[in-house]
Structure formats: structure tokens, C-alpha cells
């Protein structure tokens, strides 16, 4: 273990945020004048473009990165699917300002229609999360159609909140890396695209790599630092594996946090921490790191202390 010389970040506060997602025909302010489409979210059949949804979404932490296109006249162009998953698909989107060379690539994570979504093991993850009205809680527990939609909203909102918090911590201390959370709109989460911006090739997952011994040690050290920061903020990833870690420009990046667990209020918090550690430690040990360096029992105890569970 390495010493950490930064102070524990202030524990997050909980509160209700207001969303503007219940206005599906909300028109964009400041768009070019002229005939507007009947639905601003409907793509142009000739170009597969839509107006940027930036102004009617919840935005990520400020200051916004310099590369992010926030102009209201920008358009989003669908470029294809980056990844399919059990609960959501990730699409590649180009957000550009027409008539200029200003653009950015975004990863749009879209949760599927609740009739086709598979929320595996969601009961344990949702423990400790509360909604305001008992009707909604009963619907979520009973897995009614409305309840499944509520769960989808919780996944997206939980991931956006966790990424926002971790991005701010990473910017301050440089010890945890996550994609910048660009915006949240309903059950669609737009994130920073990590990879080759010229070719649109996504950064590889850790599971796809065969690091050298030196690279392996560096990646393990980065992971330990990130897990300590997560624990200090009161989080466990909840589904950590080599498939939920990207390696971009030598940096390890955590992704896929919809099931992020509040280890303080969730009665299974310690178990989630232990499972995250066990899975990744097994992968690193299988690729040659010494067993004493990646001892999951030792690291789990450290994380529990950092989270105030010891």
C-alpha cells in the first residue's frame, strides 16, 4: 500500500435535484431562426442529426472542459454503437457546430426500454436508496412497468451523481479517473469519449490487454488509489471487474457505475467492497503480480477503514 497525503474529501450530501426531462417538446433557446422540426429530438432523415440536447439536460461539474461543445446551435450526429450491455447500450455521438471545425465525440449511454431491460441482482444494489413516495417504492419493489422505469431513472441518476463527484475529486487530487459526465437527460447519460478521436476507436478495456510487469504494477497502483478515494467518498463500485476499467494514455479509468453502492447506508456495503477487490485482485495475481501485493483481505480492510466501516 502507498501512503496518501491528501485529506479525506468531504462526504457528499444528499438532496433532490430538479430535472427538466418532463418537457419533451422543450425548444432550444438561441437556435438559428427558420422552420423548426416538429420534434427537436427527431433526427433529420437525410443526415441522422438532431439539435444538441445540452440546454434541456442536467450538466456535469463546472468548469466544463475546454473540449466540450456547449453552443446551442450545435448538432448531434449518430455514428454507431460502441457497446451493448445488459441494461444499456452505448452509442458514439459527434456534437459539432455547423459551418465550423468545432466538435467533440461523446459516448451516449442509453438505458433500454423497461420491457426489455435486465436488472440483474438489482435488489441488493438498491438497498439504502430511497424515493420520496411510498407508491414509487412499492412499484420498484414489485417490478411493475412503472417501477422498472423508476429503477432505470435511479440507475442513470446514480451513475451521473457518482461520476460528477468522482470527477471533482479527481480534478482536485488526481488519484481517480472517470469519464467526464457531460449531461443527464431522462435515462440517457452522455459522457466523455475515451479513445482515438480521429477514428472513433474506443480505449481498450483492461481485460483486453497484456501489460508488461512494469505496466501491471503501475495499473495496480492506480487502481488501489482509485478504490481508496471511492471508499473515502462512501462508495463501492458494486460491479468492478477488468471489463469495467479502461486504459487510455497509460491511465486507468473507471466506467459503468450505475450500480454504485453507498457503503455507509447499504447493509451489504462491506460485502460489495470485498467482492470488488476480490475480482480485480484475482485478475492481477493471475497475470503475475505477487500475492502479497494484491492480497484482497488486506486491501478490503483498508477500504473498510477509509469508508468508516471498521
Amino acid at each position: 500500500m502507498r501512503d496518501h497525503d491528501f485529506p479525506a474529501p468531504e462526504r457528499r450530501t444528499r438532496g433532490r435535484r430538479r430535472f427538466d426531462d418532463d418537457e419533451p417538446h422543450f425548444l432550444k433557446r438561441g437556435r438559428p431562426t427558420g422552420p423548426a422540426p416538429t420534434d427537436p429530438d427527431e433526427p433529420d432523415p437525410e443526415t441522422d442529426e438532431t439539435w444538441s440536447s445540452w440546454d434541456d439536460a442536467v450538466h456535469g461539474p463546472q468548469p466544463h472542459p475546454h473540449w466540450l461543445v456547449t453552443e446551442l446551435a450545435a448538432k448531434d450526429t449518430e455514428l454507431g454503437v460502441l457497446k451493448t450491455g445488459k441494461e444499456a447500450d452505448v452509442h458514439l455521438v459527434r456534437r459539432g457546430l455547423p459551418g465550423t471545425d468545432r466538435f467533440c465525440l461523446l459516448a451516449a449511454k442509453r438505458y433500454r426500454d423497461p420491457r426489455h431491460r435486465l436488472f440483474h441482482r438489482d435488489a441488493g444494489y438498491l438497498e439504502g436508496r430511497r424515493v420520496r413516495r411510498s407508491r414509487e417504492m412499492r412499484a420498484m419493489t414489485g417490478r411493475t412497468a412503472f417501477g422498472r422505469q423508476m429503477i432505470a431513472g435511479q440507475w442513470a441518476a446514480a451513475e451521473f451523481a457518482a461520476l460528477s463527484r468522482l470527477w471533482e475529486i479527481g480534478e482536485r487530487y488526481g488519484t481517480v479517473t472517470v469519464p467526464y459526465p457531460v449531461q443527464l437527460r431522462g435515462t440517457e447519460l452522455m459522457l466523455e469519449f475515451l479513445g482515438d478521436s480521429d477514428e472513433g476507436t474506443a480505449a481498450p478495456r483492461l481485460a483486453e490487454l497484456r501489460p508488461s510487469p512494469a505496466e501491471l504494477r503501475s495499473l495496480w497502483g492506480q487502481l488501489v488509489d482509485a478504490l481508496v478515494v471511492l471508499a473515502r467518498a462512501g462508495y463501492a463500485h458494486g460491479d468492478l471487474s477488468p471489463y469495467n476499467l479502461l486504459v487510455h494514455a497509460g491511465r486507468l479509468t473507471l466506467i459503468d457505475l450505475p450500480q454504485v453502492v453507498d457503503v455507509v447506508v447499504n447493509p451489504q456495503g462491506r460485502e460489495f467492497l470485498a467482492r470488488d477487490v476480490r475480482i480485480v485482485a484475482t485478475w492481477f495475481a493471475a497475470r503475475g503480480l505477487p500475492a502479497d501485493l494484491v492480497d484482497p483481505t488486506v486491501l478490503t480492510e483498508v477500504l473498510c477503514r477509509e469508508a468508516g466501516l471498521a
Side-chain angles (χ1 to χ4, degrees), residues 159-205:
E159 182 166 23
F160 182 78
L163 287 170
S164 296
R165 175 69 174 132
L166 294 175
W167 171 268
E168 291 173 333
I169 293 173
E171 286 293 281
R172 184 173 181 182
Y173 299 117
T175 52
V176 61
T177 302
V178 296
Y180 177 74
V182 172
Q183 65 181 57
L184 174 67
R185 187 170 182 258
T187 55
E188 179 188 74
L189 185 65
M190 280 198 168
L191 308 169
E192 172 188 5
F193 170 74
L194 297 176
D196 187 329
S197 59
D198 293 331
E199 299 182 4
T201 303
R205 293 176 290 185

Side-chain angles (χ1 to χ4, degrees), residues 9 40 71 75 88 93 116 124 173 196 203 250 265 283:
E71 287 84 349
K75 287 192 172 184
V93 174
H116 306 295
Y173 299 117
D196 187 329
V265 301
W283 188 89

Side-chain angles (χ1 to χ4, degrees), residues 54 58-60 67-68 95 106 180-183 190-192:
W54 172 257
V58 179
H59 301 159
W67 51 263
L68 181 60
R95 175 169 290 175
L106 303 174
Y180 177 74
V182 172
Q183 65 181 57
M190 280 198 168
L191 308 169
E192 172 188 5

Side-chain angles (χ1 to χ4, degrees), residues 30 70 88 112 119 122 138 142 152-153 156 168 181 186-187 200 226 241 244 301:
T70 61
R112 296 193 184 123
F119 286 104
D122 59 3
R138 288 197 302 272
E168 291 173 333
T187 55
S241 79
N244 288 337
E301 288 304 313

Side-chain angles (χ1 to χ4, degrees), residues 37-224:
T38 56
D39 185 344
D41 292 332
E42 189 69 25
D44 185 325
E46 295 183 359
T47 63
D48 202 26
E49 292 180 339
T50 60
W51 292 109
S52 165
S53 56
W54 172 257
D55 65 333
D56 66 340
V58 179
H59 301 159
Q62 293 188 2
H64 304 308
H66 66 87
W67 51 263
L68 181 60
V69 175
T70 61
E71 287 84 349
L72 302 183
K75 287 192 172 184
D76 292 346
T77 305
E78 297 283 335
L79 299 180
V81 177
L82 289 172
K83 176 188 174 184
T84 59
K86 296 182 181 68
E87 291 91 17
D89 297 327
V90 182
H91 298 252
L92 182 62
V93 174
R94 182 186 188 275
R95 175 169 290 175
L97 196 60
T100 74
D101 58 359
R102 178 164 168 72
F103 77 95
C104 63
L105 293 181
L106 303 174
K109 186 171 185 178
R110 296 166 185 160
Y111 285 88
R112 296 193 184 123
D113 184 283
R115 293 171 297 177
H116 306 295
R117 190 179 297 114
L118 300 174
F119 286 104
H120 64 302
R121 307 188 309 276
D122 59 3
Y125 294 115
L126 290 171
E127 285 193 77
R129 297 186 192 174
R130 292 291 178 263
V131 294
R132 183 173 295 272
R133 292 186 290 274
S134 60
R135 169 179 173 266
E136 295 173 348
M137 198 66 201
R138 288 197 302 272
M140 290 169 61
T141 303
R143 301 305 188 267
T144 65
F146 173 67
R148 291 194 299 270
Q149 186 63 50
M150 285 291 300
I151 293 172
Q154 282 219 347
W155 285 137
E159 182 166 23
F160 182 78
L163 287 170
S164 296
R165 175 69 174 132
L166 294 175
W167 171 268
E168 291 173 333
I169 293 173
E171 286 293 281
R172 184 173 181 182
Y173 299 117
T175 52
V176 61
T177 302
V178 296
Y180 177 74
V182 172
Q183 65 181 57
L184 174 67
R185 187 170 182 258
T187 55
E188 179 188 74
L189 185 65
M190 280 198 168
L191 308 169
E192 172 188 5
F193 170 74
L194 297 176
D196 187 329
S197 59
D198 293 331
E199 299 182 4
T201 303
R205 293 176 290 185
L206 178 63
E208 301 169 347
L209 301 179
R210 293 296 179 265
S212 68
E215 291 171 333
L216 200 64
R217 280 183 174 268
S218 173
L219 292 171
W220 173 253
Q222 292 179 45
L223 180 57
V224 170

